[in-house]
């Protein structure tokens, strides 16, 4: 049920968006027990003037390759699972497409199960 939103600057190799989605999805499957085929992702690519961030906030050394990953998920996981997810995403994205850890920014947005409709105007988890 996660909704994956990925934002980055335009101009990356064509293979990067798919590799990033794949790395995030594999991490979700491994740590959040997301079922197979539960994949909904949106990739946003922005011009430099539309993608603004501080290069050094929290002591990191971010580059123009920064990727912001926002995940809408049900509020059913604890801190241990969340930490495992963050680590798995970072590990996956370092391998493919070769992002450096400082360029991986992750934000979870937790919602209740009744906040999802996968189609038909029905709240499938509470119907």
């Amino acid at each position: 049920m996660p909704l994956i939103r990925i934002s980055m600057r335009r101009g990356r190799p064509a293979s990067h968006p798919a590799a990033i989605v794949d790395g995030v999805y594999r991490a979700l499957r491994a740590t959040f027990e997301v079922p197979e085929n539960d994949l909904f992702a949106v990739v946003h690519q922005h011009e430099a003037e539309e993608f603004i961030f501080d290069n050094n906030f929290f002591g990191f050394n971010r580059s123009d390759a920064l990727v912001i990953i926002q995940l809408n998920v049900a509020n059913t996981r604890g801190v241990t699972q969340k930490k495992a997810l963050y680590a798995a995403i970072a590990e996956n994205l370092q391998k493919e497409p070769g992002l450096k850890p400082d360029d991986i920014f992750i934000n979870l947005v937790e919602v209740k199960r009744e906040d999802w409709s996968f189609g038909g105007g029905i709240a499938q988890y509470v119907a």
Side-chain angles (χ1 to χ4, degrees):
M1 97 181 64
L3 172 60
I4 303 167
R5 293 183 172 277
I6 298 168
S7 297
M8 65 186 83
R9 283 192 176 166
R10 191 174 310 284
R12 303 174 75 104
S15 62
H16 280 206
I20 294 167
V21 169
D22 180 65
V24 172
Y25 177 63
R26 285 186 296 109
L28 284 163
R29 298 248 313 126
T31 62
F32 269 30
E33 301 158 5
V34 169
E36 187 174 356
N37 299 321
D38 187 355
L39 175 60
F40 298 89
V42 181
V43 177
H44 306 275
Q45 296 189 48
H46 305 272
E47 300 300 328
E49 64 272 11
E50 301 170 333
F51 192 75
I52 302 158
F53 57 91
D54 185 281
N55 294 82
N56 303 112
F57 184 72
F58 248 101
F60 291 97
N61 185 23
R62 294 177 188 89
S63 74
D64 289 347
L66 175 69
V67 173
I68 297 176
I69 301 161
Q70 187 174 63
L71 304 169
N72 287 64
V73 299
N75 62 347
T76 58
R77 282 108 177 167
V79 172
T80 301
Q81 271 186 299
K82 292 173 188 178
K83 287 181 173 182
L85 173 67
Y86 304 150
I89 290 172
E91 181 180 334
N92 289 349
L93 299 187
Q94 285 176 74
K95 290 178 185 172
E96 184 64 33
L99 296 179
K100 59 181 205 155
D102 285 6
D103 285 332
I104 302 168
F105 181 107
I106 304 165
N107 171 244
L108 287 183
V109 177
E110 294 183 302
V111 298
K112 297 177 184 172
R113 292 180 69 79
E114 64 262 23
D115 295 332
W116 297 92
S117 173
F118 294 93
I122 301 167
Q124 282 80 8
Y125 286 124
V126 293

